[in-house]
Amino acid sequence: MIEAEQNRLAAAAVRIETRAWIDGEVCHAASGETFATVAPSTGDHLADVAACGPEDVDRAVRAARRVFDDGTWSRCDPTDRKVVLLRLADLLRKHGDELALLESRDSGKTIRDCRNEVAHEVPNFFQWYAETIDKSFDRIAPTGPTAFAAIVKEPIGVAGLIVPWNFPLLMAAWKLAPALATGCSVVLKPAEQTPLTALRLGELAAEAGLPPGVLNIIPGLGETAGQAIGRHPDIDTVSFTGSGEVGAYLLGYAAQSNRKPVGLELGGKSPFLVLEDARITDSLIEAAVMAAFWNGGQNCSANMRQIIHRHHHEEFAARVTARVASLVVGDPLDPATDIGALVTAEHRDRVAGYVAAGRSEGARLVRGGETLQGNPGFFLTPAVFEGLKPDMRIAREEIFGPVLGMMVVDSDDEALRMAVDTDFGLHASVFTRDLDKAFRFARALPVGTVSVNSFSEGSIATPFGGYRRSGSLSRDNGLEAMAQYQQTKTVWIGLGADQ
Ligand code: NAD
């Protein structure tokens, strides 16, 4: 409790920047308009933030283009880019606690998760790509003696990055770190629900020595600022994380403007499979609970569809339900809290609507799915359903909230059929003690990440993205992420010509 109170006091003292960051300076929206950002755990108004629109996006793109073309960042020695990005990583670590408190207040995420993501993972992303860029070699193609052919990578130009609210600064870092490392200039739009940590990042990047115009941060609404990025004729690529609906809009904007490539990281409906030979251990139960409820289930790779072999069902259901009963829902600034607030009242009501739909479709609500009586924050207790059927809405649509559903199967083959019966393909977890089965399932599941005997999304070093409607061919993370921000050029040099 003492630590919770200390966090509350420290969070209230964190300075809040509400202005956009364009061409190395803070500024208000050209229109002078603002939008409110609210603390999800209390419903309190936190700040009025610059509501940028097309005019601001255009100014940011002109700054980004200018500095891209003059080569200050895009053509500098990669070691110089590395030095600046390493300084940024250090500054992010130094200000990690302040940023984590701000993120927790703005998003309703637990301070425990924010400290891990914002103070630890975000700086590590900048460090990893900083250290990669001066060790990335181009290639020489095989030719006869009359030619020399180099295949070189070049930064694509101005990158528009649009990110969601569930991991506000981490999703920004997933895109910013490789984009900046490759030499691109960037226009970043944070989600309107959670703009505050990204705005602080602008100041830290300038302090680290990033030249003006290389990083521009445009808070604003999706339909105005986001659409202006999607439609801008001088943005060379867009990388987007968010809903499938908005991903489809961005493909349309690109088609209607300059046909820029659009990288899409979208939603999921991921399965968690417990096969016949698995052992129901404490770590399996912990993985099942975290897979569904980490970040309050506001996670694109949440394993909400838990497909359990009948042989294990009774024990699994009893142990999962008991563990869920021990989860603490409440003040995100209390380090004892496991599940904070959902991001907005509308989102909380949307998730509660899915809980109601599950009951009316005949699934059995074992526990949870309730608001916290008398609490003005946007809380919902973790809901556990048994008797989920593949055709129910809660088994097919992405809920993006604290809801776990169990489906019972009579064979591993039935588990596989059920797992692939979805439009999505982001993630899957498989529990088995049989190595052959683990490989067979890993290859048979049409998803971007398969986690065997654990719930994991991988690491900085491993690419993350989706099959089917969960994304496009683009990947965040790993060396693969750099492809979103690079062009490939062939330089063919004729040798022995009479020049
Ligand atoms: P969203 O699509 O509503 O918003 C995402 C971003 O797009 C926000 O910045 C928003 O302002 C912007 N936006 C909204 N309308 C726009 C428009 N017309 N043009 C341009 N930009 C627009 O998604 P959300 O509700 O913020 O996030 C939840 C979704 O994100 C879920 O579907 C989740 O699965 C997905 N997600 C995916 C990943 C992944 O890596 N695959 C990670 C996190 C979240």
Side-chain angles (χ1 to χ4, degrees), residues 442-466:
R443 298 309 290 262
L445 287 160
V447 302
T449 299
V450 179
S451 178
V452 175
N453 293 335
S454 63
F455 167 68
S456 171
E457 295 174 350
S459 72
I460 299 177
T462 56
F464 185 80

Side-chain angles (χ1 to χ4, degrees), residues 12-65:
V14 172
R15 183 177 65 82
I16 292 179
E17 178 54 70
T18 58
R19 291 165 294 177
W21 184 259
I22 301 178
D23 206 3
E25 288 176 357
V26 287
C27 56
H28 296 287
S31 64
E33 286 175 19
T34 59
F35 63 93
T37 185
V38 167
S41 60
T42 57
D44 290 342
H45 173 265
L46 265 182
D48 290 317
V49 177
C52 293
E55 203 180 322
D56 307 287
V57 168
D58 190 53
R59 200 156 78 77
V61 174
R62 277 187 279 119
R65 173 63 57 197

